[in-house]
């Protein structure tokens, strides 16, 4: 196939990207399968790193647009109630010079307006996510991603995430998917770190430069992506023979090749409603709604919160606050990798995601209560909070989305991954819009109430996976019983009990049929 969205042209007619063709011409030999995999990981890594770098800048710029806000001081180390003061407003001139503020955000309702600005962007982002995933399964993903990266320079909602996940899913099978995608998904946090540092450095020259420079960066990476990204093995005529973990399925074995290929690609792309009916899509989508609500509140408001919070009795400058906020994303890198690795070892995505969300609740409480005590304690607590908040967010948007997009209920139809990813991340993005919006209003009265909202969202996110957690636990208990010596029970009874189990499992290896059919 030429791409996972085209009507399966002959492989011989497919042409690799121009950069790949140039490298092969210089080498005078084809590029190996593993080299193609490395190119896919590197190119898509930097593509979405620049996506997030451009997205992060608005959170750093907030402090320059609205330089006054309620201060944060604890009445006692164990109190959840805050007293309020105000940072002095240096001047009210409308300029790009740091410290002056920018109308209308430097008024009394500045924080609420900033929240509305966030929701305006994120709501359009979420709606565009649903649309772009549907289109991504029907056209050349390399072209689609390139257009999306250049459109980021303008206000047009063409998003790359569903397509990026689809490309990576085409090249990597189920084996170690959680770990590989956990490491690969570090681009999210590293992009946030890059955006924070770049925006903080440029802020002294005027907040507009903090927006322009990352935009030029994403355009440059878009050119690299167009020249080098192979969207699937078939699009470049790559062979699976040199990768044992990705070799085609043998009789009686589970499917481990990337996306099912061959005649199955002649089928129409999966529809929006059909994708919603895939087991696991709805609960993980709703879980991501609340997970991204928490994650994106930190993404858009953490530098602002830090700059208006006295740490060791001292206020940090906007640049210092932006740089300090990167510790949350450093924790996110660790959390994404750890969640992916644990979910691979346990073969339990829902258990891992729910556990991380539950652990995020005390992490949020302690960061709010004790983060002001010292800089060292603030950094430690921010790292821990970032790890537990971003871990499940990274897991669901990568490995889980790919699992569900290659679900056996699709019966070999590979043209669903971008649509499934778009549904999951699109639903999550609505939550990402709601969180910053509510924070804009609530923070004007109480940051403690903001953290209470975040803890409640984390709790709901974990509870939404309860049914899937129970299913995974039940599967493991049943599996351990199957491994017990036959003297303790009748094999006939075991087979009968397996045949009566409900069709609740959703990972590729558990196949939509009854467990007894295996």
């Amino acid at each position: 196939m030429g791409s996972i969205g085209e009507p399966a042209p002959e492989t011989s007619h497919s042409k690799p990207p121009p950069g790949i063709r140039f490298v092969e011409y210089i080498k005078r030999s084809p590029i190996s399968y593993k080299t193609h995999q490395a190119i896919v990981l590197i190119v898509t890594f930097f593509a979405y790193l620049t996506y997030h770098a451009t997205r992060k800048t608005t959170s750093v710029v907030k402090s320059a647009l609205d330089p006054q806000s309620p201060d944060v001081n604890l009445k006692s180390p164990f109190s959840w109630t805050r007293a309020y003061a105000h940072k002095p407003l240096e001047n009210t001139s409308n300029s790009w010079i740091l410290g002056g503020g920018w109308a209308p955000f430097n008024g009394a309702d500045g924080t609420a307006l900033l929240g509305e600005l966030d929701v305006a962007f994120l709501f359009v982002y979420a709606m565009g996510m649903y649309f772009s995933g549907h289109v991504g399964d029907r056209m050349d993903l390399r072209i689609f991603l390139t257009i999306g990266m250049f459109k980021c320079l303008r206000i047009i909602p063409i998003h790359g995430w569903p397509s990026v996940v689809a490309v990576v899913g085409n090249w990597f099978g189920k084996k170690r998917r959680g770990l590989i995608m956990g490491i690969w998904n570090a681009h999210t946090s590293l992009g946030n770190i890059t955006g924070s540092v770049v925006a903080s450095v440029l802020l002294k020259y005027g907040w507009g430069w903090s927006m322009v420079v990352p935009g030029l960066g994403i355009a440059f990476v878009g050119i690299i992506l167009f020249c080098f990204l192979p969207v699937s093995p078939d699009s470049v005529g790559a062979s699976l023979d040199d990768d044992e973990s990705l070799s085609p399925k043998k009789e009686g074995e589970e499917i481990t090749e990337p996306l099912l290929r061959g005649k199955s690609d002649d089928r129409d792309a999966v529809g929006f409603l059909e994708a919603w009916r895939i087991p696991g899509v709805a609960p993980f989508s709703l879980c991501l709604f609340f997970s991204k609500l928490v994650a994106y509140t930190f993404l858009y408001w953490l530098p602002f919160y830090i700059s208006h919070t006295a740490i060791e009795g001292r206020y940090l400058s906007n640049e210092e606050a932006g740089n300090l906020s990167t510790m949350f994303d450093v924790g996110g890198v660790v959390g994404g990798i750890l969640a992916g690795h644990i979910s691979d070892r346990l073969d339990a995505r829902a258990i891992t995601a729910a556990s991380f969300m539950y652990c995020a609740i005390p992490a949020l409480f302690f960061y709010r209560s004790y983060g002001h005590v010292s800089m060292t304690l603030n950094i430690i607590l921010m790292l821990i909070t970032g790890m537990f908040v971003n871990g499940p967010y990274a897991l669901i948007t990568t490995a889980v989305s790919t699992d569900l997009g290659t679900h056996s209920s699709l019966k070999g139809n590979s043209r669903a991954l971008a649509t499934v990813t778009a549904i999951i991340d699109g639903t999550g993005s609505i939550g990402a819009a709601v969180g910053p919006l509510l924070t804009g209003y609530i923070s004007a009265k109480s940051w403690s109430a903001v953290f209470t909202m975040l803890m409640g969202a984390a709790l709901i996110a974990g509870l939404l996976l309860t049914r899937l957690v129970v299913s995974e636990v039940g599967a493991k208990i049943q599996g351990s019983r199957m491994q017990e010596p036959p003297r303790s029970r009748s094999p006939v009874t075991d087979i009968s009990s397996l045949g009566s189990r409900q069709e609740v499992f959703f990972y590729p290896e558990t196949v939509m049929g009854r467990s007894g059919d295996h």
Side-chain angles (χ1 to χ4, degrees):
M1 60 180 177
S3 73
I4 70 170
E6 296 174 341
E10 295 294 330
T11 303
S12 59
H13 295 164
S14 300
K15 290 184 178 181
I20 298 292
R21 296 202 303 270
F22 178 75
V23 172
E24 290 181 335
Y25 173 79
I26 298 296
K27 287 183 58 180
R28 299 185 183 279
S29 63
I31 294 177
S32 68
Y33 190 90
K34 289 184 179 296
T35 302
H36 277 108
Q37 286 182 309
I39 292 173
V40 168
L41 288 179
I42 293 172
V43 172
T44 55
F45 183 94
F46 282 101
Y48 227 75
L49 184 150
T50 54
Y51 263 115
H52 264 265
T54 58
R55 198 177 302 167
K56 178 65 175 178
T57 56
T58 57
S59 66
V60 178
V61 168
K62 274 190 175 80
S63 299
L65 297 177
D66 177 19
Q68 67 173 355
S69 177
D71 183 24
V72 180
N73 287 307
L74 284 173
K75 290 182 177 178
S76 72
F78 302 99
S79 175
W80 191 245
T81 305
R82 298 285 180 169
Y84 297 101
H86 286 83
K87 290 181 65 175
L89 183 62
E90 297 181 15
N91 63 67
T92 58
S93 61
N94 294 331
S95 69
W96 280 20
I97 304 303
L98 182 63
W102 191 271
F105 303 106
N106 57 356
D109 58 346
T111 54
L113 290 174
L114 288 171
E116 292 172 0
L117 184 66
D118 289 338
V119 78
F121 168 77
L122 290 169
F123 182 78
V124 174
Y125 175 90
M127 295 301 100
M129 183 71 72
Y130 287 118
F131 168 80
S132 57
H134 191 68
V135 174
D137 275 327
R138 290 161 172 80
M139 68 175 291
D140 189 318
L141 294 180
R142 180 169 59 92
I143 304 299
F144 186 69
L145 281 168
T146 302
I147 294 173
M149 296 185 76
F150 275 92
K151 289 301 182 181
C152 276
L153 296 174
R154 303 174 62 184
I155 307 176
I156 297 179
I158 297 180
H159 306 294
W161 183 248
S163 299
V164 167
V165 174
V167 171
V168 176
N170 281 339
W171 285 93
F172 294 89
K174 180 69 166 61
K175 184 178 181 181
R176 293 178 299 167
R177 177 178 289 161
L179 177 60
I180 291 173
M181 286 194 157
I183 296 173
W184 171 75
N185 194 67
H187 56 57
T188 298
S189 296
L190 292 178
N192 293 338
I193 293 171
T194 302
S196 295
V197 173
V198 170
S200 298
V201 170
L202 295 174
L203 205 56
K204 63 173 66 75
Y205 302 106
W207 64 264
W209 289 108
S210 299
M211 311 290 285
V212 172
V213 173
L216 296 176
I218 196 172
F220 173 76
V221 175
I223 296 173
I224 301 298
L225 182 145
F226 175 80
C227 293
F228 288 96
L229 181 65
V231 298
S232 68
D234 282 349
S235 69
V236 293
S239 172
L240 296 172
D241 294 339
D242 60 344
D243 193 326
E244 181 180 356
S245 67
L246 294 171
S247 60
K249 181 182 102 168
K250 297 180 182 179
E251 184 177 358
E253 294 181 346
E254 66 177 67
I255 298 170
T256 55
E257 56 182 306
L259 284 181
L260 303 182
R261 306 177 296 119
K263 295 180 180 180
S264 62
D265 293 322
D266 295 331
R267 300 176 57 187
D268 293 334
V270 171
F272 183 79
L273 295 179
E274 183 181 356
W276 266 105
R277 289 194 291 267
I278 297 174
V281 168
F284 270 116
S285 297
L286 295 174
C287 173
L288 191 62
F289 175 96
F290 291 97
S291 177
K292 288 190 76 169
L293 186 154
V294 179
Y296 269 63
T297 297
F298 273 87
L299 175 67
Y300 280 95
W301 284 97
L302 183 57
F304 184 90
Y305 171 74
I306 293 173
S307 68
H308 296 86
T309 301
I311 301 176
E312 294 182 338
R314 183 179 76 88
Y315 289 104
L316 303 183
S317 68
N318 293 333
E319 181 177 353
E320 290 173 322
N323 291 332
L324 178 60
S325 70
T326 61
M327 292 297 101
F328 180 82
D329 295 296
V330 172
V333 173
V334 177
I337 296 173
L338 189 62
H341 178 63
I342 291 174
S343 70
D344 280 344
R345 293 294 300 269
L346 297 179
D347 193 20
R349 309 287 197 214
I351 292 175
T352 305
S355 299
F356 270 66
M357 291 311 306
Y358 291 139
C359 290
I361 297 173
L364 288 164
F365 176 83
F366 285 118
Y367 178 69
R368 169 59 178 168
S369 299
Y370 301 100
H372 70 288
V373 173
S374 70
M375 183 66 69
T376 300
L377 189 59
N378 188 289
I379 292 174
I380 293 174
L381 293 175
M382 195 187 306
L383 286 168
I384 295 173
T385 303
M387 180 178 69
F388 287 122
V389 168
N390 283 345
Y393 162 40
L395 179 66
I396 295 172
T397 55
T398 55
V400 170
S401 295
T402 307
D403 288 350
L404 298 176
T406 56
H407 193 277
S408 58
S409 65
L410 299 171
K411 298 178 181 176
N413 189 348
S414 67
R415 299 171 64 186
L417 184 49
T419 299
V420 170
T421 304
I423 287 174
I424 293 175
D425 203 45
T427 304
S429 295
I430 297 175
V434 172
L437 173 65
L438 295 177
T439 300
Y441 288 99
I442 299 174
S443 64
K445 299 184 180 297
S446 171
W447 276 105
S448 295
V450 172
F451 276 80
T452 300
M453 174 191 73
L454 297 179
M455 290 188 290
L459 176 62
I460 295 172
L463 292 176
L464 284 168
L465 296 180
T466 299
R467 182 179 178 184
L468 300 180
V469 169
V470 171
S471 297
E472 288 181 349
V473 172
K476 293 191 174 301
I477 293 174
Q478 189 66 50
S480 63
R481 289 176 179 174
M482 289 292 293
Q483 295 176 2
E484 292 179 5
R487 66 179 183 275
S488 62
R489 63 193 193 282
S490 168
V492 175
T493 302
D494 292 337
I495 295 174
S496 174
S497 63
L498 283 174
S500 64
R501 289 171 62 191
Q502 295 181 349
E503 301 170 354
V504 296
F505 302 110
F506 49 90
Y507 296 117
E509 68 269 25
T510 55
V511 188
M512 274 283 288
R514 297 182 185 274
S515 299
D517 295 335
H518 291 289

